[in-house]
Amino acid sequence: MAINVSEFIIQRIREWGVTRVFGFPGDGIGEFDGMLGKTDRDGDGLEYIRPTHEEICSLMATAHAKFTGEVGVCVATSSPGAFHMLNGLYDAQMDNQPVVAIVGQQGLAALGTFVQQESNLERTFADVACYVETITTPDQAQVVVDTAFRTAKLRLQPAVIVLPHDVQAMDWQEPAPANWVSRSSAVAASTAITPPIAEIQAMAEIINAGQKVTFLVGHGATGATDEVLEAADLAGAGIITSLRGKAVVPSDVAYHTQQLGLLGSKPSLDQMKGCDTLVILGANYPYGQFLPATGQARAVQVDLKPEQLGIRYPTEVNLWGDVKSVLTAVIPLLKRHDDRSWQEKAAADMADWETEMQDQADIAYDDGVNPRRVFAGLNDRLPDGAIVTCDAGTTADWYGHHIRLRRGMMGDLSGRLATMLAAMPYATAAKFAYPDRPVVCTIGDGAFQMLGMNELITVKKYLSRWKNKQLIVVIMHNDDLGQVSWEMRTEDGNPMWRGSQDVETVDYAGYAELLGFRGIAVKDDDAVAAALDAAFAHDGVTVIDAYVSRNVPPLPPHITREYALNTAKSLIKGDPVELDVIKDSAKAMAAEGLDRVKGALHLGGDRDLDEKDD
């Protein structure tokens, strides 16, 4: 039976293992959308998910790739739709995710003639995508589609197929042997890459020689949990995970000290200050100020992205390969360290840190709910198999400090791009990928106003498809773009500026109820537990509208002199919520213990403020 180019592309996508696409229609992609509808009616098509905005389509495709390991696919019309998808595609690019975007274009004869919605899409996507190509003839369709998927999977990057409107409807047939015609296959090469044995031996020798070994584990180690734990056990190593690698190592591993840096733990910082060997596994941790001093530690890095090897710390050995394969090869060469003191210290320090985090969550503030209490309570109630998404901003601080993912759980966020509003598309994509699992979205009110409120409409549209309908959206409602407000104070020494930072207050619980969902407003600390209990008891959508204080400081574990001085400068210049900032910061500092308070009060010299004032 004769088919056209659009029908062939849909068939080929299915051959690549795709069952679901996230799209938004428009005349530039009209014939392709029409064939999506036709194949859907015939029962052999792709599941088509249409949210409320093209940016959400690309973020959902990225999230699908993150949560499943499959290629995420998004579809949009020409210029405006294509442009809207850029943010989500940059999220895929910067977090190393395979995504294929199919975008419409005006007819071939219109290219370069300045007609409506015609633009140079190849140039537009050249920076974000590892492969961009326009299909100009039916014979080209097969090789372009295959190359896009193969390249996205192998390079862990987005690829873009530009599909002119007239080409979409052209007849297609299997390419015949001919000059200039490529006949391709829908098969990707394996990424289970193991470097030469000499490099494996060099890695083992460095780990075996170390006395204080620390593993820094990122999302690139997904699927290698057992191998990471076995290698760490042999080496007597402490483990730190990046924010995106949080789920790779179960939280009940005592010497897993969670994250590093501004939203990390002090035990992780102490590991970095004291280790003599650093093993970086599938992580592209960018904050060099928290890594060991140059020359302090011997270092090894393993990554599938060769361009990201050896760029964060002076490593002795860089292994281009996937973490699971490399560790499988190196484990037989590792000698068991009988001295467990380094690992035991990490575990003891982490136990103390967990006590401090609970103390922080127990603080009562006069100007709103303690956001830490919300996250600590959420963590206590997470069921097995839960998927937690997190947005950019102070939400990420509380997520890093308080959420502990057990084996079998998932969690993710927009990492290197750190775009706002991603948590809602991520949560919705997770429900489509795992319709039998509970999903929790944690998000700030600023991000929720961007496109999160729209995404609740998408949830309403598709809720009936999910076997487990439990989706909990926890909104940090403080009428403030909180992370930036604190960055203005701590990085630049400027007071928070209400003209840019204030968020118009909205009754989010009431909005949820308008859509037929359960909405719960939480306006004091005593109501947090009951709200969370009600949400987890409800087989449906619950929006928890938590009216939290805007002045709770996202205190880093490593409070520097610069951090304290800039904050003081911002207050001297007349911060509009100065008194509440001072009061809430004092309460937070008091919960950190006497030694760190004494250090914070000592502003002399260049000493870090978390040292003891002897």
Side-chain angles (χ1 to χ4, degrees):
M1 182 185 298
I3 61 173
N4 66 21
V5 168
S6 293
E7 290 174 287
F8 164 74
I9 292 175
I10 293 166
Q11 291 179 8
R12 200 64 164 187
I13 289 173
R14 287 179 61 82
E15 290 181 46
W16 277 100
V18 176
T19 59
R20 178 181 304 115
V21 300
F22 305 95
F24 202 93
D27 64 336
I29 196 72
E31 177 64 19
F32 184 79
D33 283 345
M35 292 303 101
L36 281 173
K38 177 179 180 294
T39 55
D40 181 60
R41 290 188 296 274
D42 294 342
D44 60 351
L46 299 164
E47 183 182 20
Y48 180 80
I49 306 301
R50 201 223 75 189
T52 60
H53 196 283
E54 291 95 349
E55 184 175 357
I56 295 175
C57 293
S58 55
L59 286 168
M60 290 178 80
T62 299
H64 180 87
K66 288 181 175 183
F67 287 127
T68 67
E70 301 170 356
V71 178
V73 178
C74 49
V75 181
T77 189
S78 51
S79 299
F83 300 155
H84 282 162
M85 291 206 299
L86 280 169
N87 195 47
L89 294 180
Y90 271 107
D91 190 36
Q93 181 210 62
M94 297 176 78
D95 280 351
N96 303 321
Q97 296 302 311
V99 171
V100 172
I102 300 172
V103 297
Q105 175 63 289
Q106 300 308 300
L108 290 174
L111 297 185
T113 65
F114 314 106
V115 300
Q116 186 180 34
Q117 295 192 348
E118 180 270 327
S119 59
N120 190 329
L121 293 178
E122 290 190 4
R123 183 181 298 172
T124 298
F125 288 108
D127 181 65
V128 72
C130 62
Y131 176 79
V132 187
E133 192 59 63
T134 300
I135 298 176
T136 58
T137 72
D139 278 346
Q140 192 188 8
Q142 184 185 81
V143 68
V144 169
V145 172
D146 289 343
T147 305
F149 275 86
R150 186 178 298 109
T151 306
K153 285 178 70 71
L154 295 180
R155 295 191 180 179
L156 299 176
Q157 293 284 276
V160 177
I161 299 169
V162 182
L163 194 52
H165 191 270
D166 50 353
V167 176
Q168 296 169 31
M170 291 179 181
D171 291 339
W172 182 89
Q173 59 184 3
E174 188 72 33
N179 189 29
W180 299 340
V181 175
S182 294
R183 290 166 291 158
S184 59
S185 63
V187 178
S190 171
T191 56
I193 299 172
T194 305
I197 186 62
E199 295 179 21
I200 298 294
Q201 291 171 336
M203 178 181 181
E205 289 168 3
I206 290 173
I207 295 174
N208 288 334
Q211 300 301 310
K212 299 178 179 179
V213 182
T214 288
F215 286 8
L216 176 56
V217 180
H219 189 270
T222 298
T225 296
D226 292 338
E227 290 77 11
V228 169
L229 294 180
E230 184 176 358
D233 179 61
L234 290 168
I239 300 176
I240 299 169
T241 50
S242 69
L243 200 60
R244 291 203 56 238
K246 196 176 185 74
V248 175
V249 179
S251 60
D252 58 3
V253 174
Y255 46 87
H256 172 200
T257 59
Q258 297 289 319
Q259 284 70 69
L260 176 70
L262 295 177
L263 34 67
S265 72
K266 192 169 187 301
S268 291
L269 179 64
D270 290 343
Q271 278 202 68
M272 283 299 179
K273 285 184 174 181
C275 70
D276 62 19
T277 307
L278 177 62
V279 181
I280 305 172
L281 300 172
N284 180 30
Y285 184 77
Y287 303 106
Q289 69 269 35
F290 297 104
L291 296 176
T294 301
Q296 171 193 319
R298 302 181 71 185
V300 175
Q301 186 174 357
V302 180
D303 210 291
L304 266 176
K305 302 288 292 182
E307 66 272 22
Q308 294 178 5
L309 288 166
I311 62 173
R312 302 303 184 199
Y313 188 79
T315 44
E316 267 184 67
V317 178
N318 291 316
L319 296 97
W320 181 16
D322 77 291
V323 173
K324 185 179 181 73
S325 297
V326 171
L327 289 181
T328 298
V330 82
I331 283 171
L333 305 180
L334 296 181
K335 300 175 182 177
R336 182 172 180 81
H337 287 224
D338 294 327
D339 183 359
R340 301 276 119 178
S341 58
W342 175 249
Q343 209 173 59
E344 289 167 356
K345 180 182 184 301
D349 289 348
M350 190 60 190
D352 291 341
W353 177 257
E354 296 289 35
T355 299
E356 181 174 318
M357 288 298 93
Q358 188 58 55
D359 289 344
Q360 291 281 359
D362 289 340
I363 298 172
Y365 295 103
D366 299 330
D367 48 354
V369 174
N370 183 347
R372 291 181 178 272
R373 185 170 302 196
V374 177
F375 274 76
L378 172 63
N379 182 67
D380 290 342
R381 292 163 174 80
L382 287 175
D384 292 343
I387 302 173
V388 184
T389 68
C390 168
D391 217 273
T394 52
T395 309
D397 292 273
W398 317 138
Y399 173 83
H401 284 167
H402 295 282
I403 297 300
R404 303 291 179 255
L405 300 175
R406 304 186 300 274
R407 187 182 282 267
M409 293 181 175
M410 294 183 182
D412 220 326
L413 73 165
S414 173
R416 193 156 66 94
L417 182 62
T419 181
M420 290 174 67
L421 74 83
M424 274 298 292
Y426 274 35
T428 311
K431 286 299 294 186
F432 283 112
Y434 301 98
D436 58 342
R437 297 174 67 167
V439 174
V440 180
C441 168
T442 62
I443 190 168
D445 51 359
F448 193 65
Q449 285 191 12
M450 280 184 163
L451 286 174
M453 297 178 74
N454 298 38
E455 193 63 356
L456 276 185
I457 300 172
T458 304
V459 171
K460 180 178 176 64
K461 179 179 180 181
Y462 292 105
L463 183 62
S464 63
R465 299 193 184 187
W466 302 332
K467 179 180 178 181
N468 177 326
K469 295 177 172 52
Q470 190 169 80
L471 173 62
I472 300 171
V473 182
V474 184
I475 303 169
M476 298 291 100
H477 184 165
N478 60 8
D479 302 329
D480 183 21
L481 299 176
Q483 185 78 3
V484 178
S485 293
W486 279 101
E487 288 169 345
M488 292 175 76
R489 296 176 182 118
T490 62
E491 294 182 8
D492 304 312
N494 288 319
M496 183 270 283
W497 177 37
R498 304 197 78 147
S500 69
Q501 300 309 109
D502 280 355
V503 174
E504 183 65 22
T505 195
V506 172
D507 178 4
Y508 302 110
Y511 174 70
E513 291 174 350
L514 285 175
L515 293 173
F517 303 142
R518 174 172 291 185
I520 304 175
V522 177
K523 297 188 177 182
D524 62 72
D525 289 322
D526 292 339
V528 170
L532 290 168
D533 287 341
F536 280 107
H538 178 51
D539 184 26
V541 179
T542 304
V543 172
I544 296 179
D545 186 3
Y547 288 72
V548 298
S549 168
R550 70 191 298 167
N551 303 307
V552 177
L555 290 174
H558 178 66
I559 304 172
T560 63
R561 182 172 183 268
E562 179 184 23
Y563 181 102
L565 286 177
N566 282 340
T567 303
K569 288 177 184 177
S570 73
L571 299 177
I572 292 171
K573 293 176 182 178
D575 197 285
V577 288
E578 174 183 353
L579 294 179
D580 286 330
V581 168
I582 293 172
K583 181 172 60 177
D584 291 355
S585 296
K587 288 184 178 181
M589 287 297 298
E592 292 192 343
L594 179 62
D595 288 338
R596 294 184 72 196
V597 172
K598 288 169 66 178
L601 295 175
H602 182 85
L603 299 181
D606 295 324
R607 295 173 53 189
D608 295 331
L609 298 185
D610 58 359
E611 294 177 351
K612 290 185 179 180
D613 182 3
D614 295 323

